[in-house]
Amino acid sequence: MTTIVRYDDVAGLADTDLGWTDWVEITQERIGLFADATDDHQWIHVDPERAKDGPFGAAIAHGFLTLSLSVRFWSELFDVEGVGTKVNYGLDKVRFVSPVPVGSKIRMNAVIAEVTEVRGGYQFAVDQTIEIEGGAKPAVVARGLYRFYA
């Protein structure tokens, strides 16, 4: 469920747990499209037959593909009304903890760790955990930085 707040109410949102997104399946087609977009065609991603004998036993998603879905997930969890511009400002301390095999489903939890006033707006530091359905460890942990300007 998306948490929607008014721009005038964002300053007090530190320590807010936004919950979990819906699950998204990681398909070989999605991996192939990402490989084409980034020119990263390493066999562990794009050659399912060869990957069966590789270190992970199957083709896996690129770590940056999994991470890139945090923008989609963030938009699913949170929105601010009354802003002129929304900016994905960057990331802090990203870790790719577990590989994401083809056919896996992933989702994200987000906790607003800090809200800081910046010139013309607010910056959110958001602790993000992307988990794999049935996985023992998360796929990705990162702190996302997002800005909202009036």
Side-chain angles (χ1 to χ4, degrees):
M1 177 189 272
T2 306
T3 298
I4 302 173
V5 298
R6 291 185 13 240
Y7 181 78
D8 294 339
D9 298 328
V10 299
L13 291 176
D15 299 320
T16 301
D17 186 336
L18 299 171
W20 292 92
T21 65
D22 291 333
W23 294 102
V24 170
E25 184 175 357
I26 300 301
T27 63
Q28 189 63 54
E29 179 183 15
R30 185 185 295 257
I31 291 170
L33 290 169
F34 190 84
D36 289 344
T38 60
D39 289 330
D40 181 354
H41 293 92
Q42 189 181 90
W43 62 269
I44 62 171
H45 305 303
V46 299
D47 188 341
E49 285 305 310
R50 184 175 176 196
K52 286 180 187 176
D53 296 324
F56 307 109
I60 62 168
H62 303 74
F64 283 108
L65 166 57
T66 305
L67 178 63
S68 72
L69 291 170
S70 66
V71 175
R72 173 200 194 271
F73 290 142
W74 171 242
S75 298
E76 185 179 324
L77 290 173
F78 187 74
D79 199 11
V80 178
E81 293 178 336
V83 298
T85 304
K86 302 171 187 179
V87 176
N88 178 358
Y89 189 67
L91 296 158
D92 283 339
K93 195 173 180 177
V94 177
R95 296 291 182 266
F96 300 112
V97 181
S98 297
V100 178
V102 168
S104 297
K105 291 183 180 179
I106 62 173
R107 67 179 182 172
M108 187 177 88
N109 172 259
V111 176
I112 299 171
E114 300 172 8
V115 180
T116 309
E117 196 165 355
V118 295
R119 186 175 178 191
Y122 289 94
Q123 177 172 296
F124 289 69
V126 181
D127 291 333
Q128 303 171 150
T129 302
I130 299 176
E131 73 170 4
I132 305 165
E133 186 176 42
K137 294 190 243 179
V140 177
V141 292
R143 178 167 279 198
L145 304 174
Y146 305 96
R147 288 190 172 181
F148 296 87
Y149 297 97

